[in-house]
Amino acid sequence: MSTRSQNAMSFSEEVQRHSVHTLVFRSLKRTHDMFLSCQGMLPPLDEEAERIKKLVKARDCYGLVFDKVERNKINMKKSQPNNPKSDNLDIYKDNHLPLAITDNPEKVNKNTETSMVLSSPSTQNIAAANRLINHIMPKPKWHPPWKLYRVISGHLGWVRCVTVEPGNEWFATGAADRVIKIWDLASGKLKLSLTGHVSTVRGLQVSPRHPYLFSCGEDRQVKCWDLEHNKVVRHYHGHLSAVYSLALHPTIDVLLTAGRDSTARVWDMRTKANVHTLTGHTNTVASVVAHEFEPQVLTGSHDCTIRLWDLAAGKTRATLTNHKKSVRSLVLHPKVYMFASASPDNIKQWTCPDGKFIQNLTGHNAIVNCLAVNSDGVLMSGANNGSMYAWDWRTGYNFQRMQAPVQPGSMDSEAGVFAMAFDNSGTRLITAEADKTIKLYREDDTATEESHPINWKPDIIRRRKY
């Protein structure tokens, strides 16, 4: 081996041996030298500019609050121009209550002191607040508790959807076993099984004006079944992914579907034409409902929004962004011009047609999958952990909490409630659950207002809670 090659090998070995340390220290030195010289060249802090910056930011964020405070101060000065001590008594100005401390304590006798203590501002404020709460939050209507009376088995997979036919004689369920089963409502016996889907059935609706059953599933298919011949007569093609929900318009021959492709689609029931594709959501559309009046279409999505749609134009008329988590279910009240939405953060109530927020129904601390409401004002919510809550629609009072019993042999994690529906009389509740069963509930006939009283205490603490 030549001398030159030996020198080259020794040089490369020396560089490889010391290169990491050398490069690190050289880099540190260069960085230190570079920024050390610039540290002393920073401009001095302009305090006036910083003050102006903070004022501009505060005005931008809280301008409305500042203006309101100034207006309130002006109004208070106008209302009491001759009272120099009015600024110290602002807290009692609106109530016109007697004060426990007067301008001249020596003139107050013992009887006056006693009357002042009994009518102290704090006591009267609480009483006034309670009167106001009683006026704003009336006592909820008494509803009998619900109890389980039948469990139906037959599906081989999670039961994902349920619907009751308009004649109130039977109901249909769809499950992960790809089968639609029709059950007798009175006896709970299986009447018919419909096969045709190649994946989980996620939505079912029976037409009130035609002998048709509509179904949708994770196979991207939307089918129309002729119940006189028990076979598929129409397919509605267009969804790019799983279809999670469907609804029928109550007055016109229009079918609405929604799913994982972040769209809701409007179909002409007879011609199978895709009339509108309602775009705007940015995540899975989990629920769609149809209304006879405006808004005729409502959708709830995993993007945490609810959209109210103009059906004629096929465009959004309002977007509700109050929810902070995914909206999994929407339900329309059968009598009142309102609807409710379910999300893991809260159940919320809204008015139509503009989606004005009414109140939160708090307490169901789980992933709420489904809602159902009857004409008597009972709202039921079902969650992923098998819990079911019963609410008074008008006041939002939670009058019952239930835990769906798991089918023997099932895991505790299979206690989820995926769908629920009241029958047309509103006296029976049908739930579709993760333990592959269908459960039926009804009101407890033996319950009375004495045996199951309303635990309603409309005080200040209760008001804050609800």
Side-chain angles (χ1 to χ4, degrees):
M1 187 180 293
S2 64
T3 307
R4 180 179 297 177
S5 60
Q6 290 178 353
N7 292 337
M9 289 180 63
S10 63
F11 179 73
S12 62
E13 289 176 359
E14 184 179 355
V15 171
Q16 289 176 0
R17 186 180 303 119
H18 302 292
S19 61
V20 175
H21 299 82
T22 304
L23 288 175
V24 168
F25 285 116
R26 283 181 181 176
S27 176
L28 289 173
K29 188 175 184 304
R30 286 173 183 167
T31 305
H32 181 267
D33 294 341
M34 182 184 297
F35 290 101
L36 183 64
S37 59
C38 299
Q39 183 67 27
M41 299 173 61
L42 293 175
L45 184 66
D46 190 343
E47 296 182 359
E48 182 64 19
E50 285 292 314
R51 188 182 67 83
I52 294 173
K53 175 185 173 183
K54 290 180 180 179
L55 288 175
V56 170
K57 190 170 183 179
R59 172 60 62 177
D60 180 55
C61 296
Y62 308 108
L64 295 175
V65 178
F66 291 159
D67 295 339
K68 191 170 182 180
V69 170
E70 293 297 327
R71 286 197 300 271
N72 287 342
K73 287 182 179 179
I74 294 172
N75 292 336
M76 284 189 289
K77 288 181 180 179
K78 287 182 179 178
S79 62
Q80 295 184 352
N82 299 324
N83 189 356
K85 296 184 180 180
S86 62
D87 292 339
N88 297 327
L89 307 176
D90 287 340
I91 187 172
Y92 308 121
K93 176 179 72 65
D94 295 330
N95 296 323
H96 302 289
L97 298 173
L99 299 177
I101 301 175
T102 60
D103 292 337
N104 197 352
E106 290 80 4
K107 296 180 181 179
V108 180
N109 56 22
K110 187 174 181 180
N111 295 331
T112 308
E113 286 178 319
T114 305
S115 63
M116 289 296 181
V117 170
L118 292 176
S119 62
S120 64
S122 59
T123 306
Q124 291 202 6
N125 279 338
I126 293 173
N130 285 333
R131 286 195 299 271
L132 181 63
I133 290 168
N134 284 326
H135 176 70
I136 297 175
M137 300 179 65
K139 186 175 181 178
K141 178 183 175 182
W142 182 82
H143 299 281
W146 292 72
K147 64 178 182 179
L148 176 68
Y149 77 95
R150 179 173 290 141
V151 178
I152 302 174
S153 300
H155 279 292
L156 302 178
W158 288 358
V159 189
R160 300 304 302 249
C161 52
V162 59
T163 185
V164 182
E165 66 98 12
N168 213 36
E169 294 181 357
W170 52 267
F171 65 95
T173 56
D177 58 5
R178 304 166 293 180
V179 180
I180 300 168
K181 290 183 180 288
I182 294 176
W183 312 84
D184 184 72
L185 184 57
S187 64
K189 294 182 179 179
L190 179 65
K191 299 181 68 174
L192 185 67
S193 293
L194 301 174
T195 59
H197 281 280
V198 295
S199 189
T200 303
V201 182
R202 294 295 295 264
L204 290 172
Q205 283 289 327
V206 183
S207 173
R209 295 178 296 135
H210 309 289
Y212 294 149
L213 168 69
F214 294 86
S215 65
C216 65
E218 293 181 4
D219 51 8
R220 299 180 292 177
Q221 297 185 31
V222 181
K223 297 176 182 288
C224 173
W225 303 78
D226 187 338
L227 295 175
E228 293 178 347
H229 300 90
N230 298 329
K231 65 179 183 180
V232 179
V233 294
R234 292 187 186 89
H235 289 87
Y236 302 89
H237 297 288
H239 276 284
L240 306 177
S241 189
V243 188
Y244 284 170
S245 178
L246 61 79
L248 293 172
H249 196 284
T251 56
I252 58 179
D253 291 340
V254 163
L255 171 67
L256 304 155
T257 58
R260 206 165 58 195
D261 57 2
S262 305
T263 66
R265 294 176 186 265
V266 183
W267 310 88
D268 187 320
M269 190 186 295
R270 298 184 180 276
T271 65
K272 301 180 288 184
N274 189 183
V275 180
H276 292 303
T277 300
L278 308 178
T279 59
H281 285 294
T282 59
N283 207 330
T284 299
V285 184
S287 180
V288 59
V289 292
H291 202 243
E292 182 178 356
F293 309 104
E294 295 296 337
Q296 297 185 57
V297 182
L298 302 90
T299 56
S301 171
H302 288 186
D303 63 5
C304 311
T305 65
I306 301 165
R307 285 181 180 259
L308 315 182
W309 302 87
D310 184 340
L311 183 58
K315 295 181 180 179
T316 304
R317 59 179 291 166
T319 303
L320 312 179
T321 59
N322 298 44
H323 280 291
K324 303 306 178 192
K325 295 186 179 180
S326 59
V327 182
R328 293 172 178 256
S329 181
L330 298 175
V331 65
L332 294 166
H333 195 285
K335 288 185 176 180
V336 184
Y337 199 30
M338 294 174 63
F339 68 96
S341 58
S343 175
D345 57 359
N346 268 318
I347 299 170
K348 296 181 185 290
Q349 289 179 331
W350 318 79
T351 59
C352 297
D354 300 321
K356 181 182 177 183
F357 173 72
I358 297 299
Q359 65 178 345
N360 281 323
L361 277 61
T362 58
H364 202 168
N365 300 320
I367 300 174
V368 182
N369 288 324
C370 51
L371 294 174
V373 61
N374 65 8
S375 56
D376 197 34
V378 175
L379 175 68
M380 302 291 294
S381 58
N384 254 8
N385 59 2
S387 60
M388 293 170 55
Y389 281 32
W391 313 81
D392 178 58
W393 177 277
R394 188 168 62 103
T395 59
Y397 171 61
N398 175 214
F399 67 88
Q400 187 182 8
R401 300 183 180 186
M402 297 179 285
Q403 182 68 36
V406 179
Q407 183 79 346
S410 301
M411 297 182 293
D412 290 339
S413 59
E414 289 187 325
V417 181
F418 289 130
M420 57 173 51
F422 282 103
D423 72 339
N424 295 325
S425 67
T427 59
R428 288 173 286 192
L429 176 71
I430 308 165
T431 63
E433 306 196 6
D435 62 354
K436 307 174 187 176
T437 65
I438 302 121
K439 295 184 175 69
L440 278 75
Y441 296 82
R442 65 185 175 196
E443 294 178 341
D444 189 354
D445 298 333
T446 62
T448 62
E449 292 193 47
E450 289 75 23
S451 63
H452 294 79
I454 296 175
N455 185 20
W456 179 251
K457 297 177 182 178
D459 52 17
I460 295 175
I461 298 174
R462 188 81 175 181
R463 173 62 175 167
R464 289 174 181 170
K465 182 179 178 182
Y466 284 91

